[in-house]
Amino acid sequence: MDRNPSPPCSDAEEEGDAVGNTVYSKHWLFSVLTRLIEVITPAEPDPAASPEGARTELDEEMENDICKVWDMSMDEDVALFLQEFNAPDIFMGIFAKSKCPRLTEICVGILGNMACFQDICMSISKDENLGQVLLQRLCDSDSPTLLETSRLLLTCLSQPEVANVWVERIRENPSVYDCVCFIMSSSTNVDLLVKVGEVVDKLFDLDEELMLNWIKNGTCQSVGPSVDDSPEELPDFKIVPCILEAAKQVRSDNPEGLDVYMHILQLLTTVDEGIQAIVQAPDGGKETWSLLYDLICQELCQPDDPPIIVQEQKTVLASILSVLSAMFASQTEQEYTRMRKSKLCFFLLIRILQYMEGCGKRAVDNSKESKQEEAGRTEINEEDFHLKILKDICCELLSNMLQELTKENTLEGLHQGHLNEQTCSCAFQNLLPLYFASVESFLEVLREADQTLADNLEKRFPSLKVHT
């Protein structure tokens, strides 16, 4: 997508022509809005127009001018001027009549900039007709328009005063689910996938009822994207496969986007219906487990990474491990969990715990060297909070896996080097005393595989000694 040109120099030579405190000309802006109306309602038949009577492409001068307005609309005074002269109504007419994707994209983008200001956002959000028309843009076939529409929706959903208006509107509009699923499952545009993911993440975070509806959805057909005026029936989408497909697209190119989609999966596991949607998929959840396991073992928190990496990846690690933990707890008999639990348990979880210990020591050393300002201390406390969440999730999953380890699994871990006194001590240090039963169960198995190691661990952790 082409970048917008810079805003024009001042045309406000006449006194009182400036827009607010800016150097932009009211007359120039008004003339652009007037020409916009003429674009979709030509006075005479235009050879460049489509058979329906609307142009499919903008001429260069018009595109440059409207792009200037797009950039200028980031200024609150300009946004208020556009609101005062009913620009949203003009744009709504464009959405209804225009066959020019670029024009639609720019107009949605201008609305997105205007919505960044609270009063304008409230006005846009409370306009039911405009709201419905904007949701219909999610069924557009033009990726740049979809991107700007998603950005606009996310802006509105991020405003507490109007978020519920949009949640309710989306809940009552079944086509939104289908169009979002269609984008996640078929688009290769990473920027679009990330922004749509942010919209879904925000929706699920705001409203559990809507999330439950989307989990249960996929049984009714709706009108979706089409390249012409003919409605197109979409496939019978299920939310989990669509999320996985989008995550696969963004995983290599956009770490922030991957974080978003992993958090969506984590939100699904906060309700029983979401967990069941994951583990009762046609493949029994194997695709989900395989993707998350591959991310964990091949891309995140690798052996040659410095310990500080756990801070950078704390949120995505917490989301992934939380989903794996929910799947493990509900599907302990699945073949894909049985085959890999030993390696995952000791090769990854303990490494994360060790890295967190390293980060903790570094934070203590830094605090001794210099005093932190109040803002800095707040930031560190927030970091500690997220790291604690990650640690809690690690320990819960580690505890569940320890109880499932067999003598064969343990021997394999010893042979591969995942199990030794250092890794076991790290695990016990973090699990005790909360997960005493799990540690005790594992120690019984370890005693059969390596009596010496078990004895050494009992000496280091006296509370584990068996009293006869």
Side-chain angles (χ1 to χ4, degrees):
M1 183 174 68
D2 296 336
R3 282 296 306 138
N4 304 330
S6 299
C9 298
S10 172
D11 289 323
E13 297 179 355
E14 299 179 10
E15 185 177 351
D17 189 43
V19 177
N21 293 321
T22 73
V23 296
Y24 306 129
S25 164
K26 292 180 181 178
H27 181 267
W28 182 86
L29 275 168
F30 188 76
S31 69
V32 175
L33 293 177
T34 302
R35 287 158 57 202
L36 265 180
I37 297 174
E38 294 172 352
V39 167
I40 57 172
T41 55
E44 299 178 2
D46 188 337
S50 67
E52 291 79 8
R55 298 175 187 173
T56 57
E57 293 185 5
L58 287 172
D59 63 66
E60 184 176 353
E61 181 182 359
M62 185 68 224
E63 180 171 350
N64 286 338
D65 284 347
I66 192 62
C67 280
K68 290 173 184 176
V69 176
W70 190 356
D71 276 341
M72 293 163 62
S73 62
M74 291 187 290
D75 186 290
E76 185 172 9
D77 286 335
V78 174
L80 289 169
F81 177 86
L82 294 172
Q83 175 77 1
E84 180 183 353
F85 281 88
N86 299 318
D89 290 340
I90 297 173
F91 298 155
M92 188 157 58
I94 288 173
F95 301 150
K97 298 180 182 179
S98 173
K99 302 297 179 182
C100 176
R102 178 63 170 159
L103 178 59
T104 302
E105 173 207 351
I106 295 170
C107 291
V108 176
I110 294 172
L111 277 177
N113 284 349
M114 294 172 64
C116 293
F117 305 104
Q118 183 177 335
D119 290 343
I120 300 177
C121 185
M122 292 180 66
S123 176
I124 291 173
S125 300
K126 291 178 180 179
D127 187 329
E128 185 62 28
N129 290 332
L130 180 58
Q132 292 297 332
V133 168
L134 289 172
L135 289 184
Q136 290 172 11
R137 292 300 95 212
L138 287 173
C139 296
D140 207 294
S141 59
D142 180 60
S143 291
T145 298
L146 290 170
L147 178 59
E148 292 306 319
T149 303
S150 301
R151 184 174 73 88
L152 170 57
L153 289 177
L154 184 62
T155 299
C156 294
L157 289 168
S158 299
Q159 296 269 7
E161 297 80 8
V162 299
N164 289 338
V165 173
W166 286 98
V167 169
E168 184 65 25
R169 188 173 286 150
I170 291 170
R171 190 190 297 129
E172 294 175 353
N173 195 326
S175 67
V176 173
Y177 168 86
D178 292 293
C179 293
V180 166
C181 285
F182 181 83
I183 294 169
M184 291 193 297
S185 63
S186 63
S187 178
T188 57
N189 185 318
V190 172
D191 291 337
L192 172 58
L193 288 172
V194 172
K195 194 59 64 178
V196 167
E198 290 174 345
V199 171
V200 174
D201 189 44
K202 191 69 175 178
L203 284 171
F204 286 3
D205 195 41
L206 286 170
D207 193 79
E208 185 176 292
E209 180 185 347
L210 183 143
M211 181 173 71
L212 287 169
N213 289 342
W214 281 26
I215 291 170
K216 299 172 184 176
N217 213 330
T219 58
C220 57
Q221 299 293 330
S222 298
V223 175
S226 176
V227 296
D228 51 32
D229 287 334
S230 304
E232 176 183 326
E233 285 194 346
L234 294 177
D236 188 19
F237 287 118
K238 300 293 185 183
I239 190 70
V240 173
C242 296
I243 294 170
L244 294 178
E245 190 59 38
K248 292 174 188 176
Q249 287 290 331
V250 305
R251 63 182 288 185
S252 300
D253 298 323
N254 196 300
E256 292 78 14
L258 179 63
D259 199 343
V260 168
Y261 279 98
M262 294 303 100
H263 190 254
I264 294 173
L265 283 176
Q266 182 182 10
L267 287 174
L268 292 182
T269 64
T270 61
V271 294
D272 290 339
E273 293 86 347
I275 297 174
Q276 295 307 309
I278 293 172
V279 300
Q280 291 184 358
D283 62 357
K286 184 175 181 179
E287 183 179 359
T288 303
W289 181 277
S290 296
L291 174 62
L292 302 188
Y293 180 84
D294 188 54
L295 287 169
I296 283 287
C297 292
Q298 303 298 328
E299 297 185 21
L300 300 173
C301 201
Q302 295 302 292
D304 55 348
D305 288 333
I308 194 68
I309 196 69
V310 78
Q311 286 195 1
E312 298 177 7
Q313 299 175 349
K314 59 186 179 296
T315 55
V316 68
L317 283 170
S319 294
I320 292 174
L321 293 177
S322 181
V323 177
L324 288 175
S325 183
M327 294 182 70
F328 189 89
S330 62
Q331 291 282 25
T332 53
E333 296 307 312
Q334 285 287 352
E335 184 65 23
Y336 59 79
T337 61
R338 290 203 305 271
M339 287 167 45
R340 295 174 172 176
K341 65 180 64 173
S342 176
K343 182 180 179 182
L344 176 61
C345 182
F346 291 99
F347 185 68
L348 171 71
L349 296 179
I350 295 178
R351 186 196 310 148
I352 293 175
L353 292 173
Q354 289 174 321
Y355 280 9
M356 281 193 284
E357 288 179 356
C359 290
K361 292 177 181 177
R362 179 176 177 177
V364 171
D365 292 340
N366 288 341
S367 66
K368 291 179 179 179
E369 292 176 2
S370 61
K371 293 183 178 180
Q372 302 290 329
E373 296 181 358
E374 187 64 29
R377 286 199 295 270
T378 302
E379 182 178 347
I380 289 176
N381 290 336
E382 185 177 348
E383 287 284 321
D384 291 344
F385 173 75
H386 288 294
L387 287 173
K388 183 181 183 303
I389 292 176
L390 176 57
K391 178 181 177 180
D392 291 345
I393 295 171
C394 280
C395 289
E396 181 181 4
L397 180 54
L398 186 59
S399 168
N400 289 334
M401 289 183 165
L402 281 177
Q403 296 185 72
E404 298 297 324
L405 288 177
T406 64
K407 180 180 178 180
E408 291 72 23
N409 296 143
T410 304
L411 287 170
E412 179 185 3
L414 291 167
H415 177 71
Q416 294 179 349
H418 305 320
L419 275 176
N420 53 50
E421 188 167 346
Q422 180 184 13
T423 57
C424 288
S425 295
C426 178
F428 290 7
Q429 183 71 38
N430 285 280
L431 292 176
L432 293 173
L434 184 60
Y435 297 103
F436 181 88
S438 297
V439 174
E440 189 176 46
S441 172
F442 166 68
L443 194 60
E444 288 296 322
V445 176
L446 180 61
R447 191 173 285 111
E448 298 179 21
D450 190 330
Q451 181 68 49
T452 302
L453 177 56
D455 290 342
N456 290 341
L457 289 170
E458 282 186 341
K459 292 176 182 178
R460 295 190 65 171
F461 300 91
S463 62
L464 292 173
K465 287 186 177 180
V466 178
H467 300 284
T468 58

